[in-house]
Amino acid sequence: MGEVTSHPPLVPDGTGRYLLPVMCRACGQPTAASLCGPCHDSLGRGGERRLDCGLLVASALAHGGAARSLVHHLKYRGLASAAEVLSAAMVQVVPVGAACLIPVPRVLMRMWRYGIDPAGALSEALSRRTGLPVARLLARPLWWAGRAGPAGAMRGSPAFRALRTAPEGAVLVDDVLTTVRRGASVLTIPIAEVMELARVF
């Protein structure tokens, strides 16, 4: 006999029809919201840190629990709905006086492979919540062999190219710290308010 596939129970909509339940964006379990209770409770607050170059990085969420799963789904499964959930937390760290959102782009080969630009998706979702425009001021490189890892791990960073100078009040948006640092240096932002989705410890 073949394997029996389990489907989530249908939910009555009050009119005699049945609907598929909402699925938790992190764990996939049926829920009444974008995140189930356990996944929501696993979200840890991020924090702020200033890098040696003067860059202020504000993390919306700690890199663990449901936040880690959402980032993985966004980056490697191409689930744009994860960006919508994450952007709700990111709104809280948007600095006062922000003028625009600058996504740090994914390298072209990874875009082709996974079908999504995580920072672009996050910026667009955040733009819908804040009304801030998205300014694509960084040209993406073709390829980069590095990958995200724990703080202090040896890794390179993509060779971005600035398309034009970033305006005052620009906010860089990314999901990892290394590429944020590189993007800021290319845009020549001396003291920038930078938003990082989930700090990689």
Side-chain angles (χ1 to χ4, degrees), residues 2-157:
E3 182 180 352
V4 177
T5 302
S6 176
H7 295 283
L10 297 177
V11 178
D13 68 353
T15 65
R17 296 176 298 181
Y18 289 82
L19 305 173
L20 285 172
V22 175
M23 310 302 288
C24 174
R25 300 296 190 271
C27 71
Q29 293 299 311
T31 180
S34 55
L35 289 178
C36 65
C39 285
H40 181 273
D41 293 342
S42 76
L43 296 176
R45 294 185 61 181
E48 291 186 351
R49 61 181 292 193
R50 192 171 292 278
L51 306 181
D52 294 340
C53 62
L55 209 61
L56 178 65
V57 178
S59 302
L61 299 167
H63 194 236
R68 186 185 184 102
S69 297
L70 288 166
V71 171
H72 180 86
H73 295 332
L74 174 63
K75 295 182 70 168
Y76 302 114
R77 296 182 59 199
L79 297 183
S81 59
E84 294 294 337
V85 179
L86 292 165
S87 67
M90 295 173 73
V91 168
Q92 304 171 32
V93 296
V94 175
V96 176
C100 66
L101 306 171
I102 303 177
V104 179
R106 196 172 209 171
V107 297
L108 191 56
M109 294 299 290
R110 291 186 183 274
M111 267 283 295
W112 287 342
R113 178 177 181 182
Y114 297 108
I116 196 168
D117 181 352
L122 289 168
S123 297
E124 293 292 347
L126 195 56
S127 175
R128 288 190 287 272
R129 293 180 182 276
T130 64
L132 292 172
V134 176
R136 300 184 183 274
L137 304 185
L138 288 169
R140 69 180 81 247
L142 178 63
W143 177 246
W144 170 49
R147 64 181 297 274
M154 296 297 293
R155 60 171 293 188
S157 59

Side-chain angles (χ1 to χ4, degrees), residues 180-197:
V180 163
R181 183 189 287 112
R182 177 62 176 169
S185 66
V186 170
L187 287 168
T188 63
I189 303 176
I191 302 294
E193 299 285 348
V194 180
M195 185 159 34
E196 180 201 358
L197 168 63

